[in-house]
Amino acid sequence: KAGVTQTPRYLIKTRGQQVTLSCSPISGHRSVSWYQQTPGQGLQFLFEYFSETQRNKGNFPGRFSGRQFSNSRSEMNVSTLELGDSALYLCASSLDRADTQYFGPGTRLTVL
Amino acid sequence: QQQVKQSPQSLIVQKGGISIINCAYENTAFDYFPWYQQFPGKGPALLIAIRPDVSEKKEGRFTISFNKSAKQFSLHIMDSQPGDSATYFCAARHLNDYKLSFGAGTTVTVRA
């Protein structure tokens, strides 16, 4: 079974731009969570989607948003990019909300 | 603030030695404690996990010890190998909303 896939793997943007990251969960998995990983803050929870509905949200500004489609694929969007948004963005999927989360390889976002 | 405190930040061990990573938490509403292993350029991969009704779980060279009363748990890597060189994260999942809170990570270096 294929793992979690994330596209693109690398992205370079400039301040003020917006970006959309994509995540395809493991086949059959219905829950998708997003995390931001930085050297200073570690792994921080962004949000979780299940059945196309946001179920949980972390402590991030409204510039960070996401959605989930009927096939469980998910996208996250960051608007008005700031230098501090440079990070590895990780997507994790699980069969159901209470099941083990499996991570994708991440999207490395660099904001210049 | 970090809901899961992890130590040490880094450790160096000789091949064949034992690596020990400790984590502590305060929130008694956590009900599931996974450990993830992350190699550079990759997403975290589930290594081993434990529930609070079990005091120890072993999988191959990896063992989790759990002390519910002290609200502490630890990962032991026996017979450490150079291929174990990676960053290890402990995590705790909240029983109500399933959110994972991660420790800050421990970089393990195994010297041949």
Side-chain angles (χ1 to χ4, degrees):
Chain A
K1 199 181 258 191
V4 178
T5 57
Q6 292 187 244
T7 56
R9 290 294 312 279
Y10 303 91
L11 210 46
I12 299 176
K13 293 285 188 180
T14 55
R15 276 181 301 172
Q17 287 187 308
Q18 75 163 22
V19 68
T20 299
L21 313 182
S22 181
C23 171
S24 292
I26 293 171
S27 177
H29 284 200
R30 299 187 298 160
S31 176
V32 172
S33 297
W34 289 89
Y35 296 84
Q36 181 194 66
Q37 185 176 27
T38 60
Q41 299 296 317
L43 274 153
Q44 292 192 290
F45 173 78
L46 279 156
F47 27 65
E48 179 216 351
Y49 286 87
F50 179 80
S51 292
E52 302 177 63
T53 302
Q54 186 180 92
R55 304 295 177 140
N56 270 318
K57 191 176 190 318
N59 192 24
F60 280 82
R63 299 185 297 108
F64 292 81
S65 63
R67 59 178 174 167
Q68 186 181 34
F69 301 95
S70 58
N71 61 359
S72 294
R73 192 177 70 82
S74 177
E75 288 181 347
M76 70 162 277
N77 185 277
V78 188
S79 63
T80 319
L81 284 165
E82 300 177 0
L83 295 178
D85 296 333
S86 294
L88 181 68
Y89 289 88
L90 292 159
C91 165
S93 77
S94 58
L95 203 57
D96 211 323
R97 296 192 66 209
D99 289 308
T100 298
Q101 293 185 23
Y102 296 90
F103 284 82
T107 294
R108 172 73 62 186
L109 172 65
T110 302
V111 182
L112 302 175
Chain B
Q1 70 277 23
Q2 208 86 29
Q3 290 205 56
V4 180
K5 293 189 178 358
Q6 183 173 346
S7 63
Q9 189 174 3
S10 63
L11 68 91
I12 299 172
V13 63
Q14 291 296 123
K15 181 181 173 183
I18 301 173
S19 304
I20 302 175
I21 305 169
N22 300 300
C23 288
Y25 64 98
E26 287 297 324
N27 193 336
T28 55
F30 290 139
D31 72 337
Y32 175 71
F33 300 86
W35 284 86
Y36 285 85
Q37 178 190 55
Q38 186 177 29
F39 293 104
K42 305 283 187 184
L46 179 70
L47 194 61
I48 186 172
I50 198 168
R51 296 191 185 276
D53 53 348
V54 175
S55 61
E56 186 175 283
K57 184 175 181 180
K58 184 176 180 179
E59 286 184 4
R61 296 183 293 108
F62 300 91
T63 300
I64 302 177
S65 297
F66 192 89
N67 186 329
K68 188 175 181 178
S69 60
K71 290 185 276 188
Q72 295 175 348
F73 57 111
S74 59
L75 176 70
H76 291 61
I77 306 173
M78 315 300 285
D79 187 26
S80 296
Q81 300 297 312
D84 297 332
S85 297
T87 300
Y88 294 82
F89 294 93
C90 62
R93 189 186 70 190
H94 197 281
L95 69 92
N96 289 330
D97 61 16
Y98 312 116
K99 279 171 66 172
L100 275 179
S101 295
F102 283 85
T106 297
T107 301
V108 173
T109 303
V110 182
R111 293 261 160 88

